Amino acid sequence: MLEPRDWTMKLVMKFGGVGVADGKSLKRAGGIVSKFRTDGHELVIVTSAMYNVTNSLLDAATRAGKGQREHVKRFVEDVRKRHVDSAQIAIDNEEVLDRVVRTIESKCDDLKNILLGIAHIGELTPRSKDLVIGYGERFSAPILQGVLEDLGIESQSLTGGEAGIVTDDHFGGAEPLMNVTTLEVRQVMDPLLEKGIVPVVSGFIASTQDGTHTTLGRGGSDFTASIIGAAIRADEVWVWKDVDGLMTANPKIAHDARMIDRISFSEAMELAHFGAQVIHPKALESAARFQLPFRVKSFGKLDGDGTLIVKEATVKDGDVVKAITNIDDVDLITVSGASMVGTPRLAARVLEILTDEDVDVLLISQSSSEENITLAIPKNDGSRAQNALELSLLGSKQVREVSIEAGLSIVAVVGAGMKGTPGVAARVFATMAAHNINIRAIAQGSSELNISFIIKKQDAAEAIKALHNDFKLGECA
Ligand code: ASP
Ligand code: MG
C-alpha cells in the first residue's frame, strides 16, 4: 500500500475510442495512468466500451428480439474472443491475466443467457436493451484494471452503479439523481482514494435506486466522467482523444487549422451541436453546472496541454470567431402554407411531430412573412421526417406543402466574442458572396455564440477554408 501523500491534482481520466481500441492501446492507456500517477496526481479512471462494441451489442440485442438464436451464439463467441485477445496483448502477468480472462468468460456466459432469454421471448424491451448494451463497459473496465495491476498499480474496477451513480428509469438515456449520486459516489470513492487505490469505473452504465440497470445514452461515458468529477470535486476531467484538442476547423479541410488552448463550455457546446462533437454535450452541460474544467488531451502526444474547457470564455481583442465547424449531409425540410401567418402553434406542432419521430432538428429558421418554416435535419432522417409531417399536417389546411431538399451542409461560425460585435454576419456573408456560394437558410442562436447557415454540400470545404482565412484563425494569437 502507498504511504499517504500530498497529491498534486485530483483528476478523472476518461479513456474511450482510440484509448480502448485494442490490446495495444489498452496497454498505452495503462502507461498514461502510470505516468500521471507517478507525477503525483490522484486519479479516478472512467472507460468506455472497446471500439464499436456497443454498436454490435445493440445489433445483437435487436436480432435476439427477433428470435435469431444462432446469431446470438456466434456473436457472443466473437465478443469473447475479441476481449480475451486484447487482454492477452495488454496484460503480461499470468495470474492477473488468468483472473481477467475468467471475468470475461463469466460475463460472456451471462450475456449469452440474457440474449438467449430475449430470443426465447422474442421481445426486446427498453429495460433489457439497456442491460445488454452496457456489457461493453462491463468487459473493458476489468481489462483496464488488469492492465494497471500488471503495471504494479493497486486498482479496483467498478460498474457505474457500483461507483454510486443512481439514475431514474428512463431507459436508453437515464438521468442521474445528482443528490444521492454525489453522496454515494463520494462514499465509494473516498475510501479507495485514501488507500491509494485507483478506481476504474465503467462509463455509460448506471442503475436505479432499486438496482435496475440503466444507461446514460449513447456516448454517455463522458457524462460518467463528469458526474464522478463533480461528486469527488476533481480539479479537472481529462478526456483522452485521437486529436490534439479542439481545433479552429477540421484540419483535413483547413490545413492551417490550429488547436484552441482555451474555450468556454457554451462555445464547446455550440461546436458539439454543429458536428465537432469531441465531448458529449451532456457531459459539458453538467461540467458547466458544477464548474468542473474539462481538458481534451491527445492520446498520441502526452506532453501537449490539450484544450481546456472552462466556465468563462476568454475573448482577446479582435478574436471574435473561435472556430468554424460543419455538418455534412443534411436535408432541408420546408413546411409552407399561405395560412400559417400568426399561427404560432404550427411551429410547435412541427417540432412535436419531429420529436415523436426521434428526429434531431439541427437548425430552424422561419421567414418573417411566416409563410414557411425551414428545418435542417440529418440526411438519414429526411424521408421519415417528411412522411411524418405530411401525414399529420397536410390535412390541416394550414399547410400547403412539405418539401425536402437533399445534399446540403450546415456551416457554423462559433465564438463568444461575436456577442455584441456588429458586422460578424456581414463579414461571413460577404465572404460567401466573394466565393459565389449561395446560402439557402440562415440562423443565429440568440446567445450570439454562433451564426449558422446552409449551403450545398459541395461548397462546404471552400466555405470553411475561406472563412478560416478571412477570420485569420490559422494565425497564432
Ligand atoms: N459505449 C457507449 C457508446 O458507444 C458509451 C461511450 O462510448 O461513451 O455509446
Ligand atoms: Mg464517446
Side-chain angles (χ1 to χ4, degrees), residues 333-336 340 344-357 359 361 364 373-375 385 388-389 392-393 398-399 402:
I333 293 215
T334 304
V335 178
S336 41
M340 282 171 59
R345 275 208 213 113
L346 189 73
R349 182 80 191 106
V350 166
L351 291 177
E352 194 182 65
I353 294 165
L354 295 177
T355 308
D356 285 347
E357 281 292 311
V359 171
V361 175
I364 309 175
I373 303 172
T374 301
L375 308 121
L389 290 169
S392 314
L393 297 176
Q398 282 178 338
V399 172
V402 179

Side-chain angles (χ1 to χ4, degrees), residues 226 230 237 265 282-294:
S226 176
V237 174
F265 285 111
K282 272 196 172 174
L284 291 173
E285 202 180 39
S286 95
R289 180 146 57 99
F290 295 101
Q291 305 211 25
L292 171 69
F294 255 65

Side-chain angles (χ1 to χ4, degrees), residues 14 16-17 48-50 54-55 133 137 203-204 217-222:
K14 188 240 149 172
S48 79
M50 289 185 69
T54 313
N55 286 334
I133 65 174
E137 278 77 4
F204 181 53
R218 292 306 305 274
S221 51
D222 290 348

